[in-house]
Amino acid sequence: MISKIAIGSVALGVGALILAFSIFYGFKEGIEEKLFLHVGHLNVEKFTMNRSKEEPPVNINNSVLYQKRDSLPDMKNVYTYAHKWGLLKSNEEVSGILIKGLSKDYKVERWASQMVDGKFPSLEVAKNGAKELVISKTMATKMHLKVGDEIIIYFIQQPPKARKMKVSGIYNTGLEDFDELVAYGDINLVRRLNNWGDSLVGGIEIMANDFDNIDNTVEKIDEDYVDVHLFMRSVKDKYAHFFDWFQMLYNNVWIFLIVIVSVAIFNVVSIMLILIMERTAMIGTFKAMGASNNLLQKIFIYDGVRMAFKGITIGNLVGLGFGFLQNQFKIIPLEASTYYLDYVPFSFHWDAIIVINITVIVLTSLSLLIPTSIVLGISPIKSIKFN
């Protein structure tokens, strides 16, 4: 019974650690996937002191970065964009809107899992831009709109302009920073509104092959490809609050790991002490028969490691099994407006799982040296007489 408690303690600890790390990576990857639909890994704009979302134009014909986009290191996708502020008017409501016009290089198929209804408009097909927009579910609900509805957008500029447009699609990412304000359309539409030529854009966004290595990629591109009048920023800098939140979660997971491993080790050590005390007479008998201290200590260490291995095996089965069921059946739902996701996500990183297993077995094995050292001080005569 006592050994089963030790096994259960280790199993609970390992299972909880696997779940904690898998949930962290699940949240991080799920939110990053949504964030990177709205913005690229890297953003390149003309340097300006103006903090408006409407950027000064960049001429891509004169941009070394854009002209050599196919030879950029570690790049997956390079596209251009331009923003335009406006007032959205439906039959019942008026609301501010920020249109992000995208070029044909943008991979709209990445939005498939986040589209509630409809589709993206054609990009850079019509010279004056497709008069269609993809708006968020938040905006559609607020403005009482659905796919196919016509809207009027007023643009505050000199002279003021208005455009009648159609809702071609509705998306839902749950990221309030974007869902409450941003609509997507054709970059040619923004060009015409700004009286820009076909070579002018608001900025360039880049998707890297390996986001985890983005800091090194920034250095390579900024030094060799970015023109002096342009300014490159990583999404980590532009939307730092998301990544600060990820770092806070990551720190909490490590604190959780330390606490759980400490409790599991304490339980194993305590139970090993009890087992040794219960077998004092047996140890004395073995010593009287010629067994060495080293041999007896190895026996108890082996017994402790065996319990730890059983606990680790059960913990892995429980943690991985529950994570798989959660991903398949969404057993635990979440409020998307609070957590950005509508269910608890699990992402299994095998390197992290291997580190958890090795850490637990190594620390448990080392900690067993403490209780088993008691074996060295047990006297055969006293232990047999005590019995």
Side-chain angles (χ1 to χ4, degrees):
M1 179 62 186
I2 294 177
S3 62
K4 289 181 179 178
I5 294 175
I7 292 170
S9 174
V10 174
L12 184 62
V14 171
L17 289 174
I18 289 174
L19 292 177
F21 273 92
S22 298
I23 289 172
F24 164 72
Y25 285 118
F27 267 108
K28 182 176 181 291
E29 292 169 6
I31 295 172
E32 283 181 349
E33 179 185 356
K34 292 184 175 186
L35 178 62
F36 298 151
L37 293 175
H38 294 288
V39 294
H41 295 162
L42 300 175
N43 174 266
V44 181
E45 296 176 345
K46 182 175 284 188
F47 183 80
T48 177
M49 299 300 292
N50 185 359
R51 302 191 66 179
S52 170
K53 281 284 187 179
E54 293 191 24
E55 313 84 1
V58 174
N59 191 330
I60 54 177
N61 287 342
N62 298 330
S63 169
V64 175
L65 174 70
Y66 190 77
Q67 294 302 317
K68 295 185 176 180
R69 60 190 182 279
D70 293 332
S71 59
L72 293 177
D74 304 319
M75 290 300 108
K76 181 165 56 178
N77 183 215
V78 179
Y79 58 91
T80 58
Y81 69 91
H83 288 106
K84 188 69 177 176
W85 281 106
L87 285 175
L88 167 62
K89 184 180 185 304
S90 66
N91 292 331
E92 302 178 32
E93 300 285 346
V94 176
S95 176
I97 188 173
L98 178 64
I99 298 176
K100 183 172 184 177
L102 297 167
S103 69
K104 60 186 177 183
D105 298 317
Y106 182 82
K107 299 184 183 301
V108 296
E109 59 270 16
R110 294 195 293 127
W111 278 90
S113 62
Q114 306 301 325
M115 293 297 292
V116 176
D117 193 13
K119 62 178 182 177
F120 259 73
S122 300
L123 302 178
E124 289 194 279
V125 174
K127 185 170 179 60
N128 291 326
K131 295 183 179 180
E132 296 180 327
L133 290 178
V134 176
I135 64 174
S136 70
K137 183 180 178 181
T138 301
M139 199 179 300
T141 302
K142 178 181 177 181
M143 303 296 292
H144 309 290
L145 296 171
K146 62 182 185 298
V147 172
D149 285 355
E150 291 189 340
I151 54 178
I152 297 177
I153 300 181
Y154 296 91
F155 299 97
I156 313 302
Q157 58 185 72
Q158 293 298 328
K161 294 181 180 180
R163 291 288 186 275
K164 180 181 284 189
M165 307 190 72
K166 182 182 290 187
V167 177
S168 68
I170 296 174
Y171 73 85
N172 181 34
T173 61
L175 303 181
E176 293 181 1
D177 298 45
F178 302 95
D179 285 28
E180 292 185 352
L181 190 64
V182 182
Y184 293 92
D186 187 352
I187 192 173
N188 279 347
L189 172 68
V190 179
R191 283 172 173 152
R192 297 295 86 79
L193 289 167
N194 289 337
N195 295 316
W196 290 355
D198 293 342
S199 63
L200 297 182
V201 301
I204 303 168
E205 287 187 333
I206 301 170
M207 299 297 293
N209 286 318
D210 182 11
F211 180 69
D212 292 334
N213 195 40
I214 196 67
D215 293 333
N216 292 330
T217 303
V218 168
E219 292 182 9
K220 293 179 187 176
I221 296 178
D222 199 19
E223 182 177 342
D224 298 330
Y225 295 93
V226 178
D227 306 275
V228 292
H229 63 285
L230 299 180
F231 176 60
M232 172 179 281
R233 280 191 296 175
S234 164
V235 66
K236 291 181 179 180
D237 298 323
K238 196 170 184 179
Y239 296 95
H241 57 288
F242 284 106
F243 297 93
D244 290 342
W245 187 62
F246 294 152
Q247 188 60 49
M248 182 191 69
L249 285 179
Y250 188 66
N251 293 340
N252 289 342
V253 168
W254 276 101
I255 294 171
F256 185 62
L257 181 147
I258 294 170
V259 172
I260 289 292
V261 170
S262 299
V263 171
I265 290 173
F266 177 80
N267 287 337
V268 171
V269 170
S270 300
I271 289 167
M272 185 56 62
L273 281 171
I274 295 171
L275 291 174
I276 291 173
M277 296 304 293
E278 285 183 343
R279 291 166 172 78
T280 301
M282 183 193 75
I283 294 170
T285 302
F286 278 129
K287 281 192 173 185
M289 296 173 64
S292 65
N293 285 330
N294 189 38
L295 174 62
L296 292 171
Q297 190 176 27
K298 284 181 178 179
I299 290 173
F300 282 99
I301 290 177
Y302 171 79
D303 194 40
V305 171
R306 179 184 58 83
M307 289 189 293
F309 263 113
K310 282 188 177 180
I312 289 172
T313 302
I314 295 171
N316 277 273
L317 292 174
V318 171
L320 296 173
F322 183 80
F324 175 78
L325 290 175
Q326 171 65 14
N327 282 341
Q328 292 296 314
F329 302 107
K330 316 293 189 291
I331 301 169
I332 305 176
L334 291 175
E335 181 58 48
S337 59
T338 303
Y339 297 99
Y340 304 122
L341 301 173
D342 54 8
Y343 69 95
V344 177
F346 285 83
S347 178
F348 298 118
H349 281 230
W350 298 109
D351 54 344
I353 293 173
I354 291 171
V355 168
I356 290 171
N357 282 274
I358 292 176
T359 300
V360 171
I361 195 62
V362 169
L363 292 180
T364 303
S365 300
L366 292 175
S367 66
L368 287 171
L369 295 173
I370 300 172
T372 57
S373 63
I374 295 174
V375 172
L376 304 178
I378 293 177
S379 169
I381 297 175
K382 289 181 179 180
S383 62
I384 294 173
K385 185 184 293 186
F386 174 79
N387 186 53

